[in-house]
Amino acid sequence: MKTQAFFAKYGGIWYHTAKNARMRGNGVKVLMSGKKAAWTACLVWMGVIFTMSAMPGDVSGAQSGSITKLVLNVITTVTGMRADGAVRYSVEFLLRKGAHMAEYAVLLLLYRRALRLSGAKYPGVAAFAMCIGYAATDEYHQSFVPGRGPAVAD
């Protein structure tokens, strides 16, 4: 009840007090229905992935390089050992692939929710297929970005 009162008073990502918003049974006005909001979240996340894929190779490399350096500093501080080239490569590889997997895991969950709300019979399977399709188009998109290229391994 307190959460509903908060959103009714201050608004939020899914709530709005506009005149044309429809009313919920509890008196809170809603800007979008669950299904529409779920598909909007999918499109927004796809835009985030597209934006990150549009970064030139040097910018993307510098971004992951700074995160790698931070993780290596933590490893050195915790273990007291200096990270050599093989450790550096492994950490960077794991960070880059982990970030890729995480961004598509979020997309999978968003697709699955939107498909479930839309009444899909097998939302998990369909969401997985949609993620593979979007990943393929994302790799094709990267072929036009300077310093980057398509890779099936991504």
Side-chain angles (χ1 to χ4, degrees):
M1 188 63 168
K2 289 181 181 179
T3 304
Q4 292 171 348
F6 172 82
F7 281 116
K9 185 172 182 181
Y10 299 106
I13 193 164
W14 307 119
Y15 297 93
H16 196 268
T17 55
K19 290 181 182 177
N20 59 354
R22 71 179 176 83
M23 291 289 283
R24 276 195 167 176
N26 58 11
V28 176
K29 293 182 180 182
V30 180
L31 180 62
M32 286 187 231
S33 69
K35 184 168 44 171
K36 196 182 287 185
W39 284 110
T40 300
C42 291
L43 290 174
V44 167
W45 193 249
M46 289 166 67
V48 168
I49 292 172
F50 183 88
T51 302
M52 289 191 291
S53 293
M55 281 192 240
D58 57 342
V59 175
S60 176
Q63 187 179 44
S64 63
S66 63
I67 296 169
T68 301
K69 189 181 289 187
L70 176 70
V71 171
L72 289 172
N73 286 338
V74 170
I75 290 172
T76 302
T77 303
V78 171
T79 65
M81 297 178 356
R82 188 173 167 94
D84 63 353
V87 172
R88 178 180 298 274
Y89 174 79
S90 297
V91 168
E92 186 168 7
F93 178 81
L94 289 172
L95 284 173
R96 290 180 76 87
K97 297 305 173 192
H100 231 78
M101 288 178 66
E103 69 185 3
Y104 279 97
V106 169
L107 185 61
L108 176 84
L109 294 173
L110 291 172
Y111 275 155
R112 188 174 139 252
R113 181 172 187 273
L115 288 163
R116 184 178 45 81
L117 291 173
S118 298
K121 190 170 183 177
Y122 300 106
V125 173
F128 187 74
M130 290 171 71
C131 280
I132 289 175
Y134 190 70
T137 61
D138 181 51
E139 291 304 316
Y140 179 69
H141 163 245
Q142 286 184 20
S143 68
F144 299 105
V145 178
R148 299 188 75 165
V152 176
D154 273 354

